[in-house]
Amino acid sequence: VAVSACTGTRFLKEGESFYTGAKIDINAKGKISGQAELKDELQTYITPEPNGTFLGMRPAVWFYFIAGEPKKKKGFRNFVKTKLGSPPVLLKDATPEQTAQALEGQLHNEGYFKSKVTFDVKTRHKKSKVIYHVELERPYRIKSVNYIFLDTAHKRLLGQIREKSLIKENQRYSLELLRSEQERIEEIAQNEGFYYFDDRYLLFKADTTIGERMVELDLTVEPG
């Protein structure tokens, strides 16, 4: 009863508050499909996990503080602090400003260029929740991909590379898609005897100035 009656807030310093989690609020600019899946994906980039609660209490945090600073690495106090207890997860640990920047960067990686992420913090009774506001722009799509190989020794690979390309016309731009294509080409090159070919030699150049939210890709091999 004594443990469950304590929320742990009395141990916090002035200005500190527990981090209780985050919410993502998407404001789409136009009709954009897949918002639920996108929200779930963005949620995976939000850290840390808040302290576990039981009936609104944080018994593990209470154990952590009540054990104090054990003088020995073994013993009852150390057991209480490290096995039963867990350190408090505070708002400052959530670094909302850096997290908002990371979410925005991930949106750009997925082709949602010009999208913006801001945040608000709601604090009550030393408990803080972060709301991330996503201004979601319509994604850019791939118009075409040009395989430009600078060395004539690579040109005989073009047929295989183009035939089963992972990049298709009108696909949403995705950095992960480009990485997968690089890995696929590396495998083809090595199977054809270019044993030391590395996908890091492949360079994508993306032109987003062609209009209508389309991207034109040029794939080249690093000189030398």
Side-chain angles (χ1 to χ4, degrees):
V1 173
V3 172
S4 64
C6 184
T7 64
T9 56
R10 70 184 180 91
F11 296 104
L12 300 182
K13 298 177 182 178
E14 184 67 28
E16 290 184 334
S17 62
F18 282 109
Y19 170 66
T20 61
K23 174 186 175 184
I24 296 177
D25 180 24
I26 295 181
N27 178 26
K29 302 295 185 179
K31 187 177 181 180
I32 303 175
S33 61
Q35 291 184 44
E37 292 80 2
L38 178 62
K39 181 183 290 189
D40 290 341
E41 179 185 349
L42 293 177
Q43 195 72 45
T44 64
Y45 290 89
I46 298 177
T47 57
E49 289 291 329
N51 292 116
T53 60
F54 177 72
L55 299 178
M57 311 304 170
R58 300 174 185 82
V61 173
W62 186 86
F63 278 121
Y64 178 86
F65 280 116
I66 209 68
E69 293 297 331
K71 296 181 180 180
K72 300 179 180 179
K73 293 184 178 181
K74 294 183 179 181
F76 179 72
R77 292 172 70 89
N78 184 74
F79 172 81
V80 171
K81 192 176 186 74
T82 60
K83 301 300 182 181
L84 301 180
S86 63
V89 180
L90 306 177
L91 175 62
K92 64 181 181 180
D93 300 319
T95 59
E97 184 173 351
Q98 292 91 325
T99 299
Q101 293 175 357
L103 296 179
E104 193 170 292
Q106 182 59 25
L107 287 170
H108 295 172
N109 289 343
E110 293 294 332
Y112 299 95
F113 301 129
K114 300 182 181 179
S115 295
K116 300 293 182 183
V117 179
T118 57
F119 69 92
D120 287 324
V121 177
K122 305 294 184 183
T123 301
R124 186 184 180 192
H125 303 313
K126 293 188 177 183
K127 294 182 290 185
S128 295
K129 184 174 184 177
V130 183
I131 297 93
Y132 293 99
H133 303 283
V134 178
E135 296 293 323
L136 187 65
E137 298 285 347
R138 289 188 294 113
Y140 278 64
R141 299 191 175 276
I142 296 171
K143 182 177 182 179
S144 60
V145 54
N146 304 309
Y147 294 94
I148 304 172
F149 289 84
L150 305 181
D151 192 325
T152 55
H154 300 134
K155 288 185 177 179
R156 64 188 178 88
L157 303 176
L158 275 176
Q160 295 184 62
I161 291 171
R162 283 177 171 152
E163 183 180 357
K164 296 184 179 180
S165 175
L166 301 177
I167 302 174
K168 309 296 182 183
E169 183 179 332
N170 209 41
Q171 274 180 311
R172 175 172 52 81
Y173 172 93
S174 166
L175 183 61
E176 187 60 36
L177 174 66
L178 303 191
R179 287 173 176 164
S180 297
E181 181 71 349
Q182 288 172 316
E183 293 172 359
R184 186 185 70 89
I185 294 174
E186 178 191 272
E187 183 176 359
I188 291 175
Q190 291 180 349
N191 288 341
E192 289 295 322
F194 295 90
Y195 299 117
Y196 298 103
F197 190 87
D198 193 299
D199 61 15
R200 290 176 296 178
Y201 303 155
L202 296 168
L203 306 176
F204 273 107
K205 296 180 180 180
D207 183 1
T208 61
T209 65
I210 58 177
E212 298 181 352
R213 295 181 181 268
M214 301 298 286
V215 180
E216 189 171 61
L217 297 171
D218 287 344
L219 179 60
T220 64
V221 176
E222 186 175 2

